[in-house]
Amino acid sequence: GGDQNTARALVGLQQEILPLTEIGRRLQADNLEVQAAVKELQQAGQQGLTRDILADLFIKYHEKPAVINAVAGMVRQGLDYEFFAVISKRIEQAADADKPALSTLRDQLLEIVKKIDEAVKQQMDQARLLLEEILRQPNVEKAATEHLQDMDEFFSEVLRAELQDARKAGNYERSGRLQVVVETLQKASAPPPEYELIEQLLGVEDDAGVRQVLEKNADRLTPEFMQMLNGLAAQMESEGAAELAARLQEIYRIALRFSMEQKLKQ
């Protein structure tokens, strides 16, 4: 919801109470292992992630169900026929004592892939039903606007595919209605105007330039803008973008000072 202060407080509370119970300690340990595995995955991705490297990662954490589930969900597209051929080859080459564990890992991954695909199919089917419901309405734009909160990446994928199919088939009436949905979704997902001003401020190299931009946009320094600027700085800090977070915090301080000066003049 953008309330970074409450979010940080809740994270702090979570970290305090997790060690107090057995299940909390287990969750905490699982979380640390998942973070370590994800970091390894990201590093491998920077160097060039192959199916062999992916197999190595799963084998390393084969006794950690939480890690296996988390990583499998992130790399589902890589868990294809060739990947399982790599795993099968590893099983053939493994010592007899290690074969059962690797076979169990392969079965676990196959089951995870099956569940992921079933869930995706279910969500795609639901998205398709929603799209058809919107298209049946007399006012497509109004119907699409009313269902914006129900639209996710699956809906966007279905929408893209249906529009492509309608155009290929020469169904101009359907493609026109689908295009209305596309435009409604694009309009709703466009960044708020406050982001444009933040980008301008980030594009200025020194504090004097920041102040000049603020002077030209004094009427846009609303409480909502200030909250967004501060929240964005906190978000960047939590995501590890320390340099950007520091610059946003500095811009926020300049903007806050400028805003207070403007109010004193009134």
Side-chain angles (χ1 to χ4, degrees):
D3 187 350
Q4 298 295 326
N5 291 331
T6 302
R8 284 194 292 270
L10 287 171
V11 169
L13 175 62
Q14 181 189 52
Q15 294 306 312
E16 287 184 22
I17 64 177
L18 277 175
L20 301 181
T21 66
E22 181 180 349
I23 190 171
R25 288 189 290 272
R26 190 162 65 247
L27 287 170
Q28 192 173 40
D30 287 345
N31 186 47
L32 290 173
E33 289 172 344
V34 168
Q35 289 180 15
V38 169
K39 185 176 181 180
E40 289 183 49
L41 183 64
Q42 291 171 338
Q43 291 173 344
Q46 293 173 356
Q47 299 169 1
L49 184 62
T50 65
R51 291 174 178 83
D52 279 302
I53 293 175
L54 196 54
D56 290 337
L57 186 64
F58 280 117
I59 291 171
K60 177 180 178 180
Y61 291 98
H62 73 278
E63 295 182 342
K64 308 294 183 181
V67 176
I68 297 298
N69 279 281
V71 174
M74 296 177 65
V75 298
R76 166 60 188 94
Q77 291 183 338
L79 304 185
D80 53 13
Y81 177 83
E82 293 181 25
F83 169 80
F84 283 103
V86 170
I87 291 290
S88 296
K89 186 176 181 180
R90 297 289 184 90
I91 294 173
E92 293 173 4
Q93 296 173 343
D96 291 342
D98 296 329
K99 289 182 186 294
L102 294 180
S103 296
T104 299
L105 171 64
R106 179 178 60 186
D107 293 342
Q108 288 175 339
L109 289 171
L110 285 168
E111 184 63 23
I112 291 171
V113 167
K114 179 183 176 182
K115 289 181 178 179
I116 291 174
D117 290 350
E118 288 175 350
V120 168
K121 182 181 182 302
Q122 183 178 8
Q123 289 175 301
M124 294 289 280
D125 289 343
Q126 291 174 348
R128 191 169 285 106
L129 288 173
L130 175 59
L131 178 59
E132 295 303 326
E133 174 63 25
I134 291 172
L135 294 176
R136 280 195 295 269
Q137 303 306 312
N139 189 328
V140 174
E141 182 178 3
K142 181 175 180 293
T145 301
E146 292 173 349
H147 287 283
L148 283 172
Q149 72 277 6
D150 302 319
M151 298 179 185
D152 53 18
E153 65 272 18
F154 298 100
F155 182 88
S156 298
E157 179 61 24
V158 168
L159 177 59
R160 182 198 62 77
E162 290 295 326
L163 181 58
Q164 186 177 32
D165 290 345
R167 287 173 174 171
K168 282 184 179 179
N171 190 338
Y172 300 112
E173 193 275 336
R174 180 175 174 82
S175 63
R177 296 176 74 79
L178 286 165
Q179 186 61 39
V180 171
V181 181
V182 171
E183 293 172 357
T184 303
L185 187 56
Q186 289 175 339
K187 189 187 303 181
S189 59
E194 288 85 358
Y195 273 106
E196 180 187 353
L197 179 53
I198 292 175
E199 288 179 358
Q200 289 183 39
L201 292 166
L202 285 171
V204 179
E205 295 183 358
D206 54 29
D207 294 352
V210 168
R211 190 173 179 86
Q212 289 179 358
V213 174
L214 293 173
E215 289 173 350
K216 293 178 181 178
N217 297 274
D219 59 327
R220 300 171 65 180
L221 302 184
T222 62
E224 292 76 17
F225 171 81
M226 299 300 295
Q227 182 179 3
M228 181 177 293
L229 182 58
N230 190 35
L232 187 59
Q235 179 183 338
M236 292 301 100
E237 183 178 3
S238 67
E239 294 178 1
E243 186 175 346
L244 179 56
R247 184 55 182 157
L248 285 167
Q249 283 286 4
E250 180 61 24
I251 291 173
Y252 174 76
R253 285 192 288 269
I254 297 172
L256 185 61
R257 190 182 310 120
F258 177 80
S259 179
M260 293 175 64
E261 290 173 0
Q262 295 300 109
K263 288 179 180 179
L264 289 173
K265 292 179 181 178
Q266 294 177 358

